[in-house]
Amino acid sequence: MTPLISVKGLKTYFRTDEGLVKACDNISFDVNPGEILGVVGESGSGKTVASMSILRLIAEPPGYFDGGEIIFEGKNLLKLSMKEMREIRGNKISMIFQDPMTALNPFLKIETQLTEVLVQHKSMSLDKARAKCIEMLKKVGVSLPERRLDMYPHQLSGGLRQRMMIAMALLCRPSLLIADEPTTALDVTIQAQILELIKSINQEFNTSVILISHDLGVVAGMTNRLVVMYAGKIVESGLTEDIFNKPSHPYTKALLNSIPRIDKEQKQLDPIPGLPPSLSSIPTGCPFHPRCAYAVEKCKTTYPETAFITSDHISKCWEVSRL
């Protein structure tokens, strides 16, 4: 199967007063047509920067691309002009941002922000664009859509704002939807509704999805494959079922042990000791070794080679056999 989008050796760095920040350091992954790919890891692991890199939303400077390719529809997105990227953003690749309150413009009514997408990309009249927006709002479960369009973002609840963002992202029927922690700050009931909505969109429109989260529990029943990131690198990737049943990197295993599991007996949750490293001063060797219970001397000096658990399941760890 030909991937819809293929990220190859992506290096997204930032020049800062503290030094060079390697937010994405030589990462590679594919997203297949109709697939939901989960990208997980703690805050600061590089998940959001990876997604922003796909849409070329990295501020340059201080950010820059030091290498790699992002191949979409046969084109390297890193080589396209800003005009060409504007044709892709919101049209062929859309993104649901983490905080809808800051992603939506507080000074503009919802109608203005939604219809703009269709006017820009599909050259629709305002009347046709409004009708299309109402239709999409109904699809994403917004009640009284005509009334909601006349409101400002601050007049909507968190769940409604997130649905507005999802509707905006879907108006042009993109082939790829990037959801950056779409359930952050929502209560559990609304969180479940949003995740179910994203899954139904994937099934109804065959839209590929990159679902970014810091919580493995969120992506457990949602994704086909998982990518686990730590300190700007991909440390494990594979089928979701394989990673949950047999995690092959100490970091993945620690993430799983730190959340409640109904499929396994747990006497207590085990938090991961310490904190993620600063991306401007990443430890030598494996960046997880200061927090790892399996670390040996080699882990402190040499970055691990890729270990193939199966043809679809890889891990970057010297001690895979001990897990």
Side-chain angles (χ1 to χ4, degrees):
M1 180 183 293
T2 302
L4 173 67
I5 190 166
S6 185
V7 177
K8 302 177 180 179
L10 176 65
K11 297 181 179 180
T12 307
Y13 297 167
F14 295 85
R15 296 184 179 93
T16 71
D17 293 338
E18 297 179 0
L20 187 64
V21 171
K22 298 182 177 181
C24 288
D25 193 13
N26 196 28
I27 67 170
S28 301
F29 62 86
D30 295 334
V31 183
N32 296 317
E35 177 182 50
I36 302 181
L37 175 73
V39 181
V40 297
E42 292 170 284
S43 296
S45 60
K47 310 182 301 298
T48 296
V49 172
S51 65
M52 300 280 272
S53 297
I54 290 174
L55 284 171
R56 295 274 302 279
L57 292 175
I58 301 298
E60 302 179 58
Y64 68 99
F65 299 106
D66 196 56
E69 297 178 324
I70 302 174
I71 306 300
F72 177 73
E73 294 185 342
K75 298 178 181 178
N76 182 4
L77 299 184
L78 297 183
K79 299 295 184 182
L80 299 185
S81 67
M82 284 297 106
K83 181 180 179 181
E84 291 172 311
M85 282 304 304
R86 281 193 292 271
E87 291 298 315
I88 291 175
R89 294 183 193 129
N91 187 19
K92 296 181 178 181
I93 304 176
S94 289
M95 186 167 182
I96 305 169
F97 293 93
Q98 185 169 347
D99 183 2
M101 192 61 203
T102 55
L104 292 168
N105 190 323
F107 297 102
L108 298 178
K109 289 184 177 180
I110 296 297
E111 178 181 359
T112 303
Q113 300 185 59
L114 265 64
T115 55
E116 181 184 31
V117 177
L118 294 170
V119 172
Q120 175 71 30
H121 291 297
K122 302 300 182 183
S123 301
M124 283 189 182
S125 67
L126 285 175
D127 289 341
K128 287 185 177 180
R130 179 181 169 87
K132 183 73 174 178
C133 290
I134 291 172
E135 179 187 335
M136 185 57 71
L137 290 180
K138 289 178 180 177
K139 281 186 178 293
V140 300
V142 174
S143 61
L144 303 173
E146 297 88 347
R147 181 182 170 190
R148 308 292 187 192
L149 285 175
D150 292 326
M151 293 182 173
Y152 290 91
H154 72 272
Q155 295 176 293
L156 303 174
S157 67
L160 273 175
R161 285 195 294 267
Q162 196 62 282
R163 287 176 190 272
M164 294 299 175
M165 288 294 301
I166 294 172
M168 185 187 298
L170 293 175
L171 281 171
C172 294
R173 299 288 178 89
S175 51
L176 176 63
L177 177 65
I178 302 172
D180 185 7
E181 303 200 29
T183 57
T184 297
L186 300 179
D187 63 59
V188 176
T189 304
I190 302 300
Q191 181 182 101
Q193 292 174 1
I194 295 298
L195 291 174
E196 189 59 36
L197 175 59
I198 292 172
K199 196 167 188 176
S200 66
I201 288 164
N202 164 255
Q203 295 170 348
E204 182 178 352
F205 302 125
N206 198 39
T207 303
S208 299
V209 180
I210 298 177
L211 178 60
I212 299 169
S213 179
H214 61 270
D215 186 351
L216 278 167
V218 167
V219 301
M222 286 283 297
T223 59
N224 307 107
R225 290 188 299 119
L226 276 181
V227 167
V228 183
M229 291 190 68
Y230 185 79
K233 294 181 179 290
I234 293 176
V235 296
E236 184 168 4
S237 66
L239 298 176
T240 302
E241 183 179 2
D242 291 344
I243 289 180
F244 269 81
N245 290 334
K246 190 179 179 182
S248 299
H249 193 281
Y251 179 58
T252 311
K253 188 173 183 179
L255 285 177
L256 287 168
N257 289 339
S258 66
I259 60 173
R261 298 281 298 271
I262 61 173
D263 59 335
K264 291 185 178 181
E265 184 178 340
Q266 288 176 295
K267 294 182 179 179
Q268 65 179 28
L269 299 180
D270 297 320
I272 306 174
L275 295 171
S278 167
L279 293 179
S280 61
S281 56
I282 298 174
T284 57
C286 173
F288 188 61
H289 83 257
R291 309 171 70 189
C292 181
Y294 300 88
V296 295
E297 194 61 34
K298 190 176 186 179
C299 302
K300 300 175 184 179
T301 58
T302 310
Y303 189 76
E305 297 175 355
T306 301
F308 285 86
I309 315 306
T310 67
S311 58
D312 297 318
H313 186 180
I314 65 168
S315 177
K316 298 291 185 73
C317 180
W318 292 119
E319 296 296 302
V320 168
S321 61
R322 292 174 56 198
L323 296 180

